[in-house]
C-alpha cells in the first residue's frame, strides 16, 4: 500500500511504528474543493486546529489562504509559529476562555472572538479595555437544531453547554453594544461534528440570517456569519463522493450569507484532514483466547481513541496484500484496558506477527486526541509531499514524557 506515492512499508522501516502518515495533496485537494464551491461569496476557511494540529499541515493550509479556528491559547501559539501571517484570520471559539488566552488573542489581533456566554463577554470587554484594544465579537448562538451524529459531538441543542440560546441572543448583543472594548461584528453557529446531511446546516444558518437582519436593524454592523464546522465523511467501506457532499453543503451554508450579504466564515476540520491520514501500526502478536482471535498491534487507544470513545469505525487494511484466508478477529492495542480496541469481530485477511496494518481515515482527531496513557510515547508523524515522506514530528522519547515532572 502507498500513501500518495510513498510506500508504507518503506515509511514504517524508516520512521518506525506507530506512525501517522498524511498526504499533503489530499489535504490541499479538499481545501481547494471547498474554496472552489465558495467562490461565489466572500469567505474565509478557518481550519479547525483541533482536528489535527500539526504545524506542518497548518503552515500548508495557511499558504493556501486559510485562517484558523482555535479553542485555546495553545492553538493560538501554534498559529503564531506555523503561520504568523494568518493571525488576522483567526476565530477563537470555546466555552471556557481564560484571561491569558483572551489577552494573547487581543494582542495578536485576531479576526473574531466567538463568545459563548454573557459572563465571558464581560471578561472579554474588561480585558480589551485594559489592553487598549477592541475585540470584534460574534455570539455563538445555539440554534436548537438537531443534527444526527454521535451524542458526544452534537452541540446545537438547548441541552448542550455550547453557545447562547438564539432567542436570547438579540438582547445579549444589545448589551454588548453598550460595553466598551467589544464590537459586535458577526454571528456564529456550530451544531456538531460528523454531520452527513445538509438540512441541519441549512436550517441553522437560516436562523442565523434572520438574527443578522434583526441586529442590523438594531444598528449593529454585522459583517460575518461563521457557520462553524461539522461536515462529515464516510468512515466505512461506503461510497463517498466528497465533491458532491461539499457542493450540497456549500449551497446550504452560502444561502444565508448571500441573502444578507455577509462574509462567510467556516471552521471545517474533519472534512479537510480525516481521509488524508492513516495510522500505520505493526502486529506484535496474534493470540487465541477460547473462540476469539486477538491481533495485538503496537498502536493503542492512546494513539487513536476514536473506536474506544465513540465506537467509531475505521477501515483496516494489511499493508502488503496476501492471499491468506480471511479470519474474524479483534484488532487491539497493548494498553491495559478492554476498551483498547480498533475493531471487534472484524473479518480481516489473516495477519501474522511483524506484519503492518493501516487504519484508514485517521487524519482527524487521531494524533490530536492522543495521550501518554500507560506512559507510552506518542506516534511520529510523516507528511507525504510529491511522493516523498517527510518527518514532521519525531517520535517522543521517554525523556520528553517525564521532563515536566518533579520528584
Ligand atoms: N468549530 C467548532 C466550534 C468545533 O467545536 C469543532 C469541532 C469544529 C469547528 C470542527 O468540526 P469538524 O469540521 O471537524 O466536524 N473528536 C471527535 C470530534 C470532536 C469535534 C469537536 N468540535 C471525533 O473524533 O469525531
Amino acid at each position: 500500500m502507498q500513501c500518495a506515492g510513498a510506500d508504507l512499508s518503506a515509511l514504517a522501516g524508516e520512521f518506525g511504528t506507530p506512525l501517522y502518515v498524511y498526504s499533503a495533496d489530499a489535504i490541499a485537494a479538499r481545501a481547494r474543493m471547498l474554496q472552489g464551491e465558495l467562490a461565489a461569496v466572500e469567505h474565509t476557511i478557518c481550519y479547525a486546529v483541533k482536528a489535527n494540529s500539526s504545524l506542518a499541515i497548518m503552515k500548508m493550509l495557511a499558504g493556501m489562504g486559510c485562517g484558523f479556528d482555535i479553542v485555546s491559547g495553545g492553538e493560538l501559539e501554534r498559529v503564531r509559529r506555523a503561520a504568523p501571517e494568518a493571525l488576522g484570520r483567526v476565530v477563537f471559539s470555546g466555552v471556557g476562555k481564560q484571561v491569558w488566552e483572551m489577552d494573547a488573542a487581543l494582542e495578536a489581533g485576531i479576526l473574531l472572538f466567538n463568545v459563548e456566554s454573557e459572563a465571558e463577554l464581560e471578561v472579554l470587554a474588561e480585558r480589551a479595555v485594559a489592553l487598549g484594544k477592541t475585540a470584534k465579537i460574534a455570539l455563538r448562538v445555539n440554534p436548537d437544531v438537531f443534527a444526527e451524529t454521535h451524542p458526544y459531538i452534537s452541540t446545537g441543542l438547548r441541552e448542550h453547554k455550547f453557545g447562547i440560546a438564539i432567542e436570547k441572543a438579540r438582547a445579549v448583543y444589545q448589551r454588548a453594544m453598550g460595553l466598551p472594548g467589544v464590537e459586535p461584528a458577526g454571528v456564529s453557529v456550530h451544531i456538531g461534528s460528523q454531520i452527513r446531511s445538509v438540512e441541519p446546516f441549512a436550517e441553522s444558518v437560516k436562523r442565523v440570517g434572520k438574527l443578522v437582519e434583526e441586529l442590523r436593524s438594531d444598528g449593529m454592523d454585522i459583517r460575518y456569519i461563521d457557520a462553524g464546522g461539522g461536515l462529515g465523511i464516510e468512515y466505512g467501506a461506503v461510497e463517498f463522493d466528497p465533491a458532491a457532499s461539499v457542493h450540497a453543503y456549500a449551497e446550504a451554508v452560502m444561502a444565508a450569507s448571500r441573502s444578507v450579504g455577509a462574509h462567510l466564515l467556516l471552521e471545517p476540520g474533519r472534512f479537510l484532514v480525516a481521509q488524508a491520514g492513516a495510522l500505520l501500526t505493526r502486529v506484535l502478536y496474534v493470540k487465541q483466547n477460547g473462540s476469539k482471535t486477538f491481533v495485538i498491534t503496537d498502536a493503542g487507544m492512546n494513539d487513536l481513541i476514536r473506536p474506544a470513545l465513540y465506537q467509531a469505525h475505521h477501515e483496516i487494511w494489511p499493508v502488503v496484500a496476501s492471499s491468506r484466508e480471511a479470519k474474524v478477529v479483534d484488532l487491539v492495542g497493548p494498553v491495559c484496558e478492554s476498551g483498547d480496541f480498533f475493531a471487534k469481530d472484524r473479518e480481516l485477511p489473516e495477519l501474522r506477527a511483524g506484519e503492518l496494518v493501516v487504519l484508514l481515515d485517521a487524519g482527524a482527531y487521531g494524533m490530536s486526541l492522543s495521550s501518554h496513557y500507560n506512559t507510552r510515547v506518542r506516534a511520529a508523524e510523516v507528511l507525504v509531499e510529491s511522493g516523498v515522506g517527510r518527518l514532521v514530528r519525531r517520535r517522543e522519547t521517554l525523556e520528553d514524557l517525564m521532563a515536566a515532572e518533579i520528584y
Side-chain angles (χ1 to χ4, degrees), residues 172-195:
V172 181
Y173 271 103
Q174 281 163 351
R175 179 112 199 273
M177 255 210 316
L179 285 175
V182 295
E183 183 212 342
V187 177
S188 105
V189 71
H190 170 80
I191 51 173
S193 190
Q194 180 54 7
I195 296 167

Side-chain angles (χ1 to χ4, degrees), residues 13-178:
E14 188 174 354
F15 302 109
T17 52
L19 184 71
Y20 273 102
V21 183
Y22 311 114
S23 157
D25 285 350
I27 298 170
R30 286 292 170 93
R32 268 196 303 272
M33 215 178 254
L34 189 51
Q35 283 169 335
E37 290 293 341
L38 299 170
V41 299
E42 226 186 278
H43 70 272
T44 307
I45 294 172
C46 296
Y47 167 63
V49 174
K50 66 168 83 67
N52 185 320
S53 47
S54 157
L55 295 170
I57 289 174
M58 291 173 65
K59 189 168 171 180
M60 181 186 121
L61 287 170
M64 298 181 68
C66 292
F68 297 97
D69 164 47
I70 61 161
V71 291
S72 71
E75 289 188 350
L76 179 67
E77 187 56 26
R78 286 189 174 275
V79 179
R80 191 193 308 285
R81 296 196 186 188
E85 73 284 1
L87 283 168
R89 301 195 295 266
V90 165
V91 300
F92 191 177
S93 307
V95 289
K97 301 181 191 74
Q98 299 177 37
V99 164
W100 74 269
E101 296 175 313
M102 291 178 178
D103 285 3
L106 285 163
E107 294 291 359
I110 66 162
L111 180 65
L112 200 62
F113 287 82
N114 286 334
V115 173
E116 301 225 14
S117 65
E118 274 190 82
E120 179 193 334
L121 180 66
E122 278 162 27
V123 175
L124 180 61
E126 225 176 83
R127 294 313 307 159
V129 170
L131 298 177
K133 309 271 181 198
T134 301
K136 288 195 290 282
I137 62 141
L139 296 188
R140 173 166 171 187
V141 298
N142 187 322
D144 201 27
V145 166
F146 176 71
E148 178 87 53
T149 184
H150 190 279
Y152 287 6
I153 55 177
S154 171
T155 58
L157 282 181
R158 211 159 287 147
E159 68 199 57
H160 296 131
K161 71 177 175 184
F162 298 99
I164 294 172
I166 194 159
E167 58 279 3
K168 276 204 190 150
R170 192 172 180 180
V172 181
Y173 271 103
Q174 281 163 351
R175 179 112 199 273
M177 255 210 316

Side-chain angles (χ1 to χ4, degrees), residues 17-20 278-284 295-309 314 316 331-343 357 359 362 365-380 395:
T17 52
L19 184 71
Y20 273 102
L279 175 59
L280 188 54
T281 176
R282 203 176 282 282
V283 175
L284 294 173
V295 176
I296 302 161
T297 59
D298 65 2
M301 68 189 290
N302 71 299
D303 298 300
L304 178 66
I305 203 175
R306 303 194 70 260
L309 194 54
H314 287 266
I316 297 165
L331 194 92
V332 303
V335 169
C336 299
E337 290 216 20
S338 297
D340 181 24
F341 60 85
F342 294 127
V357 292
L359 293 139
Y365 306 107
M367 186 64 181
S368 63
L369 266 171
S370 69
S371 77
H372 292 139
Y373 188 41
N374 278 203
T375 304
R376 285 165 52 81
V377 295
R378 281 186 291 172
R395 192 171 304 282

Side-chain angles (χ1 to χ4, degrees), residues 238-279:
V238 183
E239 198 66 32
F240 177 60
D241 179 353
S245 157
V246 79
H247 175 75
Y249 168 76
E251 285 303 312
V253 292
M254 281 191 301
S257 67
R258 263 205 198 108
S259 72
V260 299
H263 184 116
L264 182 64
L265 302 170
L266 291 179
E267 305 169 357
R270 187 187 321 262
F271 181 79
L272 298 183
V273 292
Q275 294 180 294
L279 175 59

